[in-house]
């Protein structure tokens, strides 16, 4: 991977060990990582400042927005696609209601 194609990944997670493991794996793969953050408003602020390529919402964010609302706002406001993991939204989100997801093979 050349420097021009390095992804910057925003991590939203409140589990310290899971975050550390995830960030370690992402850095080892050559990605830049911002976070982890636990609050949705902090994720939005970091997106404004760092222009991440994608967000990984690994656990439910704290604050007014749930994982789906955060992913929707990241996409609508900053064009940031999100991977919302099942642990972040355990009741599930129907595929037709996930316009923020990256296209298959995009990441």
């Amino acid at each position: 991977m050349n420097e021009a194609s390095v992804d910057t990944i925003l991590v939203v997670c409140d589990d310290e060990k899971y975050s550390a493991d995830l960030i370690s794996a992402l850095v080892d793969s050559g990605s830049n990582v911002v976070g982890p953050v636990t609050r949705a408003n902090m994720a939005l602020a970091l997106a404004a400042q760092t222009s991440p390529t994608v967000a990984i919402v690994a656990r439910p964010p704290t604050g007014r927005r749930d994982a789906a609302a955060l992913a929707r706002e990241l996409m609508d406001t900053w064009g940031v696609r999100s991977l919302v993991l099942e642990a972040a939204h355990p009741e599930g989100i129907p595929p037709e209601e996930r316009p923020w997801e990256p296209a298959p093979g995009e990441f």
Side-chain angles (χ1 to χ4, degrees), residues 68 72 89 91-101:
R72 194 172 295 110
H89 210 285
E91 59 275 10
I93 306 167
E96 65 275 5
E97 294 179 20
R98 298 181 289 202
W100 57 77
E101 285 190 338

Side-chain angles (χ1 to χ4, degrees), residues 52-74:
T53 313
V54 68
I56 297 177
V57 184
R59 298 284 193 268
T62 58
R64 293 183 297 129
R65 296 166 192 87
D66 65 7
L70 173 59
R72 194 172 295 110
E73 192 159 348
L74 285 166

Side-chain angles (χ1 to χ4, degrees), residues 31-52:
S31 297
N32 294 321
V33 178
V34 291
V37 296
T38 60
R39 298 190 55 81
N41 63 346
M42 183 59 75
L44 291 164
L46 276 176
Q49 295 172 358
T50 62
S51 301

Side-chain angles (χ1 to χ4, degrees), residues 74-93:
L74 285 166
M75 182 65 182
D76 291 348
T77 305
W78 305 112
V80 177
R81 296 197 174 276
S82 298
L83 296 171
V84 178
L85 305 186
E86 185 176 339
H89 210 285
E91 59 275 10
I93 306 167

